[in-house]
């Protein structure tokens, strides 16, 4: 089961971009004469430093160092909490604290140029303070050795497990160290001192190793990583569900708005087409020339205009207008046609209009003759065509753009 947790953690945590959390679940197990040694950048650490780590010591030799900077004990920390050094001056703490072998404990040392105090903490408890020389700062450069006292025999090597070792470019306070202790070694939250974390545990895990150093996953910490990963997955799933719901809501609204807009556009188009039709009809009406003088003929004068009269004005020309094309419309032609066509009661007097009289009849004239009275003759039904009415109609239409025609005085 523990192996399954390890495999799941290896795949889930990186997929969540949470490799730092996964590193909290990983410890390094050191055999004797095994160490990590390299030269980090110490430039930010010359005036203040704090070193903290979780340690499980199983060694039996004295002075087992897990952290060593420079050969002359510039900064040296032992695993059992019994001894530490700064600037070549060492202090024994064993009488104040005893850590049982094979148990995890939290070790921190702090110092700053300002305070000049080198403090040693185990499990959040201050074991003692060592005063340093005024103006003395930490040396830059040089090697850092994790798991071995630099340039000493293997009798001072660390043996055991180590987790979450970090070096901070600040002097951590007693309360800050107590808080770190209370959070525990499996805390996977972002380090509150991240901005000052110069040497990081996740980077140490990738350094080259000497001897036998193996990765060990801590089950309790893996459980925390997996719980955090599950929480983040659930949160992500919830966010995705909410995002999908919001997307569907937006799409539905856009679809509704689009359909509404399309309906409005269709209605606008319909109204526009209707308006254009009305404009065309109005323009056509304005461009017509009604020859009201024809109503002075015996066919219409003093007659109450009926539907039959309306029919005579336009429909009776449908079968003959095309035959007139090419003929010159003279007085003799009109009188002859009226005489020959007297049984049809066709109003030949219309041709006395200036639009036709003494003109060669054209196809446009034929179209005009068959359509000029459409839409207007029906409105005259019921009107008695007296001279006064005819003069009024002639006057009103002449005030717009209509002309007037005439009938010869001797026409009857």
């Amino acid at each position: 089961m523990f192996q399954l947790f390890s495999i799941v953690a290896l795949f889930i945590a990186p997929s969540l971009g949470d490799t730092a959390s996964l590193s909290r679940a990983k410890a390094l197990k050191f055999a004797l004469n095994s160490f990590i040694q390299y030269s980090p950048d110490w430039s930010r650490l010359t005036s203040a430093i704090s070193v903290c780590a979780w340690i499980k010591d199983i060694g039996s030799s004295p002075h087992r160092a897990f952290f060593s900077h420079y050969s002359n004990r510039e900064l040296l920390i032992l695993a059992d909490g019994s001894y530490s050094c700064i600037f070549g001056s060492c202090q024994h703490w064993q009488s104040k604290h005893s850590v049982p072998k094979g148990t995890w404990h939290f070790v921190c040392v702090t110092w700053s140029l300002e305070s000049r105090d080198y403090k040693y903490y185990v499990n959040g408890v201050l074991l003692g303070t060592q005063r340093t020389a005024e103006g003395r700062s930490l040396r830059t450069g040089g090697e850092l050795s994790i798991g071995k006292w630099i340039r000493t025999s293997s009798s001072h090597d660390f043996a055991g497990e180590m987790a979450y070792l970090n070096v901070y470019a600040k002097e951590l306070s007693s309360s800050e160290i107590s808080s770190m202790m209370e959070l525990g070694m499996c805390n996977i939250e972002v380090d509150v001192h991240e901005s000052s974390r110069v040497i990081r545990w996740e980077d140490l895990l990738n350094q080259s190793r000497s001897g036998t150093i193996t990765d060990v996953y801590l089950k309790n910490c893996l459980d925390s990583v997996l719980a955090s990963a599950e929480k983040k997955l659930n949160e992500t799933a919830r966010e995705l569900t909410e995002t999908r719901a919001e997307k569907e809501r937006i799409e539905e609204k856009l679809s509704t708005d689009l359909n509404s807009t399309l309906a409005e556009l269709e209605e606008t188009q319909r109204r526009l087409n209707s308006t254009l039709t009305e404009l065309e009809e109005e323009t056509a009406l304005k461009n017509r020339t009604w020859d009201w003088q024809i109503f002075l003929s015996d066919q219409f004068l003093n007659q109450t205009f009926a539907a039959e009269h309306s029919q005579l004005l336009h429909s009776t020309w449908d079968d003959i207008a095309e035959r007139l094309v090419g003929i010159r419309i003279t007085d003799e032609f009109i009188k002859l046609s009226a005489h020959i066509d007297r049984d049809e009661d066709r109003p030949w007097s219309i041709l006395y209009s200036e639009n036709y009289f003494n003109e060669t009849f054209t196809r446009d004239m034929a179209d005009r003759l068959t359509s000029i009275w459409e839409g207007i003759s029906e409105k005259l039904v019921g009107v008695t065509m007296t001279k006064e009415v005819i003069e009024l109609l002639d006057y009103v239409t002449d005030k717009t753009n209509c002309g007037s025609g005439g009938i010869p005085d001797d026409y009857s």
Side-chain angles (χ1 to χ4, degrees), residues 84-352:
S84 66
C85 306
I86 187 169
F87 307 153
S89 177
C90 301
Q91 183 73 41
H92 287 270
W93 312 105
Q94 195 166 20
S95 61
K96 299 182 179 181
H97 179 73
S98 178
V99 178
K101 286 187 178 181
T103 61
W104 283 103
H105 58 283
F106 184 55
V107 177
C108 277
V109 298
T110 67
W111 169 85
S112 74
L113 182 62
E114 181 180 0
S115 71
R116 295 170 53 199
D117 289 333
Y118 177 65
K119 297 180 180 180
Y120 194 95
Y121 298 84
V122 174
N123 291 336
V125 177
L126 176 64
L127 297 188
T129 301
Q130 181 180 341
R131 195 71 170 166
T132 61
E134 184 176 359
R136 178 67 157 85
S137 60
L138 193 70
R139 292 182 186 177
T140 59
E143 292 183 322
L144 169 64
S145 180
I146 306 297
K148 181 179 178 64
W149 191 335
I150 293 178
R151 298 178 184 174
T152 62
S153 65
S154 60
S155 62
H156 297 306
D157 288 353
F158 168 71
E161 298 178 21
M162 183 188 310
Y164 206 60
L165 187 155
N166 293 284
V167 180
Y168 303 90
K170 65 179 291 187
E171 181 181 18
L172 293 172
S173 67
S174 176
S175 60
E176 288 173 331
I177 292 174
S178 296
S179 178
M180 293 168 73
M181 172 65 191
E182 290 173 2
L183 288 172
M185 65 185 298
C186 293
N187 173 46
I188 60 173
E189 300 300 323
V190 176
D191 197 320
V192 295
H193 310 292
E194 184 63 33
S195 62
S196 62
R197 198 161 62 109
V198 176
I199 298 174
R200 310 188 311 164
W201 176 242
E202 55 267 34
D203 297 332
L204 288 174
L205 292 174
N206 295 321
Q207 293 293 332
S208 60
R209 306 171 185 181
S210 298
T212 304
I213 303 175
T214 55
D215 294 340
V216 178
Y217 281 100
L218 307 170
K219 183 181 182 305
N220 290 341
C221 296
L222 267 180
D223 290 342
S224 298
V225 170
L226 290 174
S228 176
E230 183 179 6
K231 180 181 177 182
K232 289 182 179 179
L233 284 173
N234 289 336
E235 290 175 353
T236 302
R238 177 180 57 78
E239 290 173 359
L240 285 173
T241 300
E242 292 175 354
T243 301
R244 289 194 186 99
E246 179 66 11
K247 175 176 174 289
E248 291 174 358
R249 186 190 68 78
I250 292 173
E251 288 178 344
E252 182 178 356
K253 185 177 185 304
L254 287 174
S255 177
T256 301
D257 291 347
L258 179 60
N259 291 336
S260 176
T261 301
L262 288 175
E264 291 175 0
L265 286 174
E266 290 175 358
E267 176 62 18
T268 301
Q269 183 66 46
R270 185 191 65 77
R271 291 178 180 177
L272 179 60
N273 291 338
S274 176
T275 301
L276 288 175
T277 301
E278 291 174 1
L279 286 173
E280 290 172 356
E281 291 175 352
E282 184 178 343
T283 301
L285 285 173
K286 287 183 177 181
N287 290 334
R288 290 184 184 182
T289 303
W290 292 294
D291 305 315
W292 300 105
Q293 297 291 325
I294 67 170
F295 292 100
L296 294 173
S297 66
D298 292 339
Q299 272 180 306
F300 303 105
L301 185 61
N302 294 322
Q303 301 289 325
T304 299
F305 201 82
E308 293 79 6
H309 295 125
S310 174
Q311 186 75 12
L312 284 173
L313 284 177
H314 52 85
S315 298
T316 56
W317 294 105
D318 291 344
D319 60 347
I320 197 170
E322 288 289 329
R323 302 179 196 175
L324 300 179
V325 175
I327 298 174
R328 187 169 183 79
I329 307 301
T330 64
D331 178 56
E332 291 79 6
F333 173 77
I334 295 172
K335 290 180 178 179
L336 177 61
S337 298
H339 177 74
I340 295 173
D341 196 40
R342 59 183 178 275
D343 294 335
E344 296 293 334
D345 290 329
R346 209 181 315 269
W348 289 94
S349 56
I350 289 177
L351 299 182
Y352 282 108

Side-chain angles (χ1 to χ4, degrees), residues 20-39:
S21 296
L22 183 59
S23 70
R24 293 300 300 266
K26 184 185 289 187
L28 293 180
K29 186 173 184 179
F30 290 75
L32 283 173
N33 200 30
S34 301
F35 55 91
I36 296 172
Q37 193 164 303
Y38 74 108
S39 298

Side-chain angles (χ1 to χ4, degrees), residues 26-76:
K26 184 185 289 187
L28 293 180
K29 186 173 184 179
F30 290 75
L32 283 173
N33 200 30
S34 301
F35 55 91
I36 296 172
Q37 193 164 303
Y38 74 108
S39 298
D41 180 8
W42 296 93
S43 61
R44 292 180 59 192
L45 301 167
T46 57
S47 59
I49 187 172
S50 296
V51 181
C52 296
W54 288 87
I55 303 294
K56 183 165 75 171
D57 179 35
I58 60 174
S60 57
S61 61
H63 306 314
R64 297 176 301 280
F66 77 86
F67 186 98
S68 176
H69 170 42
Y70 265 104
S71 60
N72 194 26
R73 303 174 183 178
E74 181 73 9
L75 185 59
L76 178 69

